[in-house]
Amino acid sequence: MRSVRLLFLGVAAAVAAGSAQSATPDARARDIFKQLIEINTTDTPAGSVTAAAEAAAARLRAAGFSPSDVQLLGPDPRKHNLVARYRGAGRRRPLLLVAHLDVVEARREDWTVDPFTLVEKDGFFYGRGTLDDKGMAASLLANLIRLKEERFTPDRDLILALTADEEGGNFNGVDWLLKNHRPLVDAELALNEGGSGQMNHGKYLVNEVQASEKVYQDFRLEVRNPGGHSSRPVRDNAIYHLSAALARLAQFDFPVNLSEVTRTCFERMAALQSDAKVAADMRAVAGAPTDMSAARRLSNASPFYNALMRTTCVATRLEGGHANNALPQLAAANVNCRILPGESPAAIKERLQQVLADAELTVTFVGQATPSAPSPLNPEVMRAVESITAAMWPGVVVVPVMAPGATDGLFLRNAGIPTYGVEGVFVEIDDNRSHGQDERVGVKQFFEEVEFQYRLIKSLSR
Ligand SMILES: [Zn+2]
């Protein structure tokens, strides 16, 4: 009796200690968020992604993940990636959850608060990485711990990859993991950053699912000429050749080429337009075949709509000549292209040469673009995002998007893992401070992100 009673007391004490440690899901998410923000993970001597990966690993082990399922890997000791596996029933191939731990440099003197302290003020969390991408990292980590605590058995393994070098550096992150540890991160599909919620003066509008990215490619245009004395000019002048060719480029548009993602994007955006003519044009370009006069009107109305519909190439830099009194021996320009996924950089180069139409002018690649295939709009993912969005934010429209820039989704998609950028965090359309000064996320919006990710992960793994 006595021993039973003692045993009972012991259990009660253990339960009490346990519940003191395991806070509410929100408190834990906030605590993890704070810890990650306060570890400097910039690509500078003061920064260490490894320190953040280690902190995350310690939390997973404390939550009962087997140490062999929690690994730190990477070629650079300051930039280790965390890869952790939540074992499921194995009925389907894994779901990969990706967030990067590295952040863009932030200098104390440029900010009104310390970028590496989580400051809560005026309804916001301030700190470098609050939007890009430690909110997502903290959400994913906190949710795996919560699911573990709830003894949830997913129908497939969940793989968490908290990674390095998304913001630059030497490809020690997702790219390196795919090349060197493919089985560890191999999955049927991945969730990643890249699509956020958009709000306008606090009104929630759209929840983006990023399924596609444009490809960045620079070209160098060059005209060389023997030159000579400018007191005896000739018509064959390098600057004239280049400027005439650029004037032809200025008048040129690459053909409209809509994909499943951009069609659906226009179709959904149409519902949000207050201008009925714009809405009708959006529906017309989303139709098949594309209504070309509607496409022209949308292009003229907005550089953003234009960029969604076609590859763009634009002159961004010029150089030429070597003296005020000499005929130029060189005239050169940089042309920056954002190529639609599915179009080849080589074909774009060829088209540029035709448009520039000058045999004296050479066009060469600057750097090597990494082409990126769009992810097909996975119906299970779209349905899950739509129903969770409807439940959490009634009236908000889910819009698949193509990003004009690139994330790690590029490497995942090229490795054959369809990737969806969906964060569930709402940000003011005109006040997104990713990479900028006083980066911040709404307190309410951060906790919504945590809840959204929790529901989404569960929905895609049962
Ligand atoms: Zn990012």
Side-chain angles (χ1 to χ4, degrees):
M1 191 69 196
R2 188 186 154 91
S3 63
V4 169
R5 187 180 159 76
L6 269 182
L7 181 65
F8 175 74
L9 282 175
V11 170
V15 167
S19 59
Q21 276 165 13
S22 62
T24 64
D26 273 4
R28 179 170 45 221
R30 184 191 200 282
D31 194 41
I32 290 173
F33 192 36
K34 177 175 163 64
Q35 184 179 24
L36 292 182
I37 294 291
E38 297 187 353
I39 299 173
N40 181 336
T41 52
T42 55
D43 191 5
T44 65
S48 167
V49 169
T50 302
E54 269 166 0
R59 286 190 180 259
L60 290 170
R61 286 191 298 263
F65 281 73
S66 133
S68 62
D69 284 340
V70 180
Q71 299 195 42
L72 292 186
L73 313 121
D76 181 333
R78 274 195 320 113
K79 297 179 176 183
H80 279 171
N81 304 279
L82 166 78
V83 180
R85 185 171 291 255
Y86 187 128
R87 302 267 166 195
R91 285 196 289 275
R92 293 197 279 172
R93 290 175 60 218
L95 170 64
L96 175 62
L97 308 166
V98 183
H100 63 89
L101 290 171
D102 62 312
V103 293
V104 171
E105 168 70 314
R107 283 183 308 214
R108 177 67 187 90
E109 61 269 28
D110 296 339
W111 282 48
T112 62
V113 291
D114 177 3
F116 299 106
T117 301
L118 187 76
V119 175
E120 182 177 344
K121 112 180 138 117
D122 312 327
F124 291 93
F125 287 125
Y126 287 82
R128 174 56 91 219
T130 45
L131 279 178
D132 188 11
D133 182 30
K134 286 177 170 172
M136 180 106 173
S139 293
L140 296 175
L141 182 60
N143 283 326
L144 287 201
I145 293 171
R146 177 175 171 191
L147 291 169
K148 194 79 167 176
E149 211 170 70
E150 293 171 354
R151 300 178 188 282
F152 174 68
T153 305
D155 68 351
R156 51 165 131 205
D157 287 1
L158 306 174
I159 303 169
L160 174 66
L162 300 182
T163 61
D165 272 5
E166 195 275 339
E167 301 290 3
N170 286 311
F171 302 105
N172 295 299
V174 167
D175 185 42
W176 182 87
L177 285 171
L178 287 165
K179 283 188 178 131
N180 296 280
H181 295 277
R182 176 70 191 243
L184 215 52
V185 291
D186 200 29
E188 185 190 330
L189 69 150
L191 301 181
N192 183 35
E193 65 172 340
S196 62
Q198 305 285 352
M199 57 181 181
N200 195 2
H201 300 293
K203 183 172 166 35
Y204 288 32
L205 301 173
V206 301
N207 195 13
E208 298 173 341
V209 179
Q210 192 248 59
S212 170
E213 294 174 354
K214 273 184 142 179
V215 176
Y216 181 109
Q217 178 70 63
D218 284 317
F219 292 97
R220 180 170 168 88
L221 278 41
E222 226 177 70
V223 182
R224 294 201 176 260
N225 187 285
H229 204 288
S230 61
S231 62
R232 294 180 300 277
V234 292
R235 296 216 181 269
D236 180 22
N237 175 303
I239 289 176
Y240 295 162
H241 275 282
L242 180 69
S243 52
L246 287 175
R248 287 188 283 274
L249 178 63
Q251 295 306 313
F252 174 73
D253 282 321
F254 281 88
V256 168
N257 181 3
L258 283 100
S259 65
E260 181 196 20
V261 170
T262 46
R263 269 180 212 287
T264 315
C265 179
F266 276 119
E267 206 177 86
R268 304 269 169 101
M269 282 197 305
L272 299 167
Q273 299 308 312
S274 47
D275 184 328
K277 280 186 190 154
V278 174
D281 281 346
M282 285 182 166
R283 290 195 185 93
V285 295
T290 302
D291 179 330
M292 295 313 285
S293 49
R296 205 157 29 245
R297 283 190 297 272
L298 288 178
S299 281
N300 292 338
S302 148
F304 172 62
Y305 301 155
N306 181 54
L308 282 179
M309 290 190 285
R310 53 164 53 97
T311 291
T312 60
C313 290
V314 61
T316 52
R317 304 188 77 162
L318 266 182
E319 62 178 279
H322 54 282
N324 287 350
N325 58 0
L327 298 174
Q329 289 177 289
L330 167 75
N334 185 77
V335 168
N336 178 238
C337 297
R338 305 299 174 113
I339 303 174
L340 286 175
E343 295 186 356
S344 95
I348 298 302
K349 176 169 180 267
E350 209 167 295
R351 193 76 189 94
L352 271 179
Q353 276 162 328
Q354 290 164 3
V355 171
L356 296 164
D358 188 332
E360 304 284 300
L361 185 151
T362 60
V363 179
T364 49
F365 285 107
V366 179
Q368 197 53 51
T370 314
S372 165
S375 298
L377 292 180
N378 176 313
E380 188 192 357
V381 173
M382 294 308 290
R383 266 199 304 273
V385 172
E386 278 159 10
S387 81
I388 298 165
T389 300
M392 291 184 67
W393 308 291
V396 167
V397 180
V398 174
V399 178
V401 294
M402 174 182 66
T407 68
D408 278 336
L410 173 85
F411 301 112
L412 292 160
R413 292 190 184 106
N414 282 339
I417 304 176
T419 299
Y420 304 94
V422 53
E423 300 172 18
V425 64
F426 282 74
V427 184
E428 281 290 334
I429 279 182
D430 297 322
D431 192 14
N432 186 320
R433 302 185 183 181
S434 293
H435 295 200
Q437 178 205 37
D438 292 348
E439 183 178 347
R440 67 183 189 178
V441 64
V443 171
K444 174 171 175 279
Q445 284 73 27
F446 169 72
F447 289 118
E448 285 172 352
E449 173 179 21
V450 176
E451 179 62 21
F452 176 84
Q453 294 290 345
Y454 171 77
R455 295 190 196 186
L456 185 59
I457 295 165
K458 251 180 127 165
S459 162
L460 295 177
S461 62
R462 66 168 160 209

